[in-house]
Amino acid sequence: MKGWDVAVSVTALVFTVMLGGLALLVGVFSLAFLDHCPPETCSVDGAVTAVGVALGAAGLVGVVGVVTTLVRLARRRTAWPFAIGTLVMCMLTCMAGVVGYAAAVGA
């Protein structure tokens, strides 16, 4: 096993976990301040659904990716593509949640 593979994999996993924490914090705060949302152009249920589905999907992708990467590292196989793929998929899932939230609140 190469040292750079472990370094890249662990770094990507750390960024994935940090992204998940930040996404959770932003998602909760974005829902907490929906009281000024005009009912004509805003769907609170849609915003809650968009944030909830995005966070749930990103969490599932993150857990599966972290476990897969750690198993590959333990078996001394190349793991960095899985770690980078997990990070990218979590980023895309969070961006989809932002788009869904914006569409629901009429932004």
Side-chain angles (χ1 to χ4, degrees):
M1 179 167 22
K2 300 196 179 351
W4 65 267
D5 179 42
V6 174
V8 170
S9 298
V10 169
T11 302
L13 293 182
V14 167
F15 281 135
T16 301
V17 171
M18 289 172 41
L19 172 70
L22 181 63
L24 181 62
L25 185 69
V26 170
V28 168
F29 273 103
S30 66
L31 294 178
F33 297 108
L34 278 177
D35 55 344
H36 70 292
C37 191
E40 311 79 50
T41 60
C42 181
S43 168
V44 174
D45 290 337
V48 170
T49 301
V51 170
V53 168
L55 290 176
L60 182 64
V61 168
V63 167
V64 169
V66 167
V67 169
T68 302
T69 302
L70 293 177
V71 166
R72 290 192 63 87
L73 285 172
R75 292 183 179 172
R76 300 187 183 275
R77 307 244 162 134
T78 303
W80 72 266
F82 295 93
I84 297 293
T86 301
L87 178 59
V88 169
M89 291 301 294
C90 285
M91 290 168 97
L92 292 174
T93 304
C94 290
M95 283 192 268
V98 169
V99 170
Y101 176 83
V105 297

